[in-house]
């Protein structure tokens, strides 16, 4: 197994991805196939999870041989984050599995005035099955600028960790309220990329801002953040990448007895 990234925009996206996965989990399994890389994970409280697919055509080169190459690579997200942090602008990324199959090899090269770097990460033996994530028609679809949405989430955290959302055909309301005050925002349709709500729907949901803030740490991966909401279903948030690649998150609605 070997893949390369030379496109600097995608390298930046790849770096953001692996620098922030540690907020969800101490380790991650890379499920390898001829189609690309699939990753899933859940936070320790089991309130939120991520589902990530990087298709083979997202990479500048991607080589996986079925029935020969290792199909599951367990790695420490903390170690990956530290390694990615040593890469310098302009350097390319190459990852492969060592000949003995025990290590993930990471190489940063490509800048004449920067030292090439070579790393080996011991692979972890982790047992975890891929979850079946089903998609269904949602009651509300909302797409906002990633920057605007995440700035709003940061501001709402001033007063509380609980975010209350109200969706109607006419408006979207964000509310955070605590003992020191409250913040309410009526989001104008002029400030969203897309908004669609099912006919005659009034949807009210509450979520932990801490977990939504974790989603926002990936905001540099895409200029837009797509969200889907439905009654009695987790919120879905998605950063769409080139082709059919994506980074998705699922967050369970918050109930009063939740402690976050």
């Amino acid at each position: 197994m070997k893949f390369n990234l030379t496109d600097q925009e995608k390298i930046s996206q790849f770096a953001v991805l692996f620098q922030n996965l540690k907020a969800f989990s101490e380790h991650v399994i890379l499920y390898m196939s001829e189609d690309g890389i699939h990753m899933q994970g859940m936070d320790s409280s089991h309130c939120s999870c991520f589902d990530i697919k990087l298709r083979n055509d997202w990479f500048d080169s991607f080589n996986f041989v079925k029935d020969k190459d290792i199909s599951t690579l367990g790695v420490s997200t903390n170690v990956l984050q530290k390694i990615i942090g040593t890469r310098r602008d302009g350097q390319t990324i190459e990852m492969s599995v060592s000949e003995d199959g025990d290590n993930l090899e990471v190489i940063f090269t490509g800048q004449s005035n920067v030292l090439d770097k070579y790393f080996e990460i011991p692979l972890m033996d982790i047992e975890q099955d891929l979850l079946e994530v089903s998609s269904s028609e949602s009651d509300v679809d909302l797409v906002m600028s990633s920057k605007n949405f995440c700035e709003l989430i940061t501001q709402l955290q001033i007063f509380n960790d609980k975010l209350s959302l109200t969706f109607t055909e006419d408006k979207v309301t964000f509310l955070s309220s605590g003992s020191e005050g409250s913040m309410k925002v009526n989001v104008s349709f002029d400030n969203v990329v897309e908004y669609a709500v099912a006919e005659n729907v009034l949807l009210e949901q509450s979520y932990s801002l801490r977990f939504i803030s974790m989603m926002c740490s990936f905001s540099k991966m895409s200029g837009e953040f797509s969200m889907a909401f439905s009654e009695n279903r987790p919120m879905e948030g998605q950063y769409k990448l080139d082709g059919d690649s994506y980074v998705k998150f699922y967050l369970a609605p918050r109930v009063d007895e939740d402690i976050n």
Side-chain angles (χ1 to χ4, degrees), residues 34-256:
E34 295 169 328
D35 295 330
I37 302 175
H38 192 183
M39 292 173 277
Q40 286 185 346
M42 186 172 290
D43 77 279
S44 58
S45 67
H46 292 187
C47 290
S48 64
C49 67
F50 61 83
D51 181 56
I52 300 165
K53 285 189 179 180
L54 301 177
R55 305 289 187 181
N56 54 14
D57 58 1
W58 187 81
F59 298 90
D60 293 290
S61 67
F62 188 91
N63 183 31
F64 179 86
V65 180
K66 188 178 180 180
D67 299 327
K68 176 183 176 183
D69 290 329
I70 299 174
S71 60
T72 56
L73 310 177
V75 293
S76 163
T77 53
N78 186 51
V79 173
L80 271 178
Q81 181 264 338
K82 291 178 179 178
I83 288 175
I84 293 293
T86 70
R87 189 193 67 85
R88 293 295 173 258
D89 290 343
Q91 288 189 310
T92 63
I93 295 178
E94 177 183 304
M95 288 190 178
S96 60
V97 175
S98 61
E99 291 186 4
D100 59 14
D102 292 333
N103 297 287
L104 178 66
E105 299 176 342
V106 184
I107 301 174
F108 302 145
T109 60
Q111 281 287 77
S112 59
N113 60 337
V114 178
L115 295 173
D116 295 343
K117 301 180 180 72
Y118 303 83
F119 301 89
E120 282 193 349
I121 312 170
L123 294 174
M124 305 169 67
D125 186 12
I126 305 169
E127 293 186 5
Q128 177 180 301
D129 295 328
L130 279 169
L131 301 173
E132 289 291 334
V133 181
S134 60
S135 295
S136 60
E137 188 172 343
S138 55
D139 294 329
V140 175
D141 293 306
L142 174 65
V143 183
M144 294 182 65
S145 155
S146 298
K147 179 181 178 181
N148 292 344
F149 176 75
C150 293
E151 284 181 351
L152 178 58
I153 294 301
T154 299
Q155 294 162 2
L156 286 161
Q157 285 182 291
I158 293 173
F159 294 109
N160 203 348
D161 182 56
K162 180 180 177 181
L163 171 65
S164 298
L165 294 172
T166 303
F167 302 98
T168 69
E169 293 182 4
D170 301 321
K171 65 180 180 179
V172 180
T173 301
F174 287 67
L175 173 65
S176 175
S177 179
S179 60
E180 296 181 349
S182 65
M183 177 178 176
K184 179 179 179 181
V185 179
N186 292 323
V187 178
S188 167
F189 295 155
D190 293 334
N191 297 125
V192 304
V193 178
E194 180 182 326
Y195 181 63
V197 58
E199 188 176 359
N200 297 323
V201 163
L202 169 61
L203 181 63
E204 297 179 337
Q205 299 277 54
S206 295
Y207 301 95
S208 168
L209 280 165
R210 178 165 65 92
F211 291 111
I212 297 179
S213 181
M214 287 164 58
M215 300 180 193
C216 286
S217 64
F218 297 80
S219 62
K220 292 184 179 179
M221 298 197 69
S222 175
E224 296 178 357
F225 188 53
S226 303
M227 293 160 275
F229 303 88
S230 295
E231 189 74 38
N232 300 320
R233 286 179 59 85
M235 164 192 172
E236 178 183 316
Q238 178 177 194
Y239 296 106
K240 295 180 180 179
L241 308 179
D242 285 353
D244 294 325
S245 297
Y246 60 78
V247 177
K248 288 184 180 179
F249 302 95
Y250 297 90
L251 176 60
R254 177 171 169 163
V255 293
D256 291 340

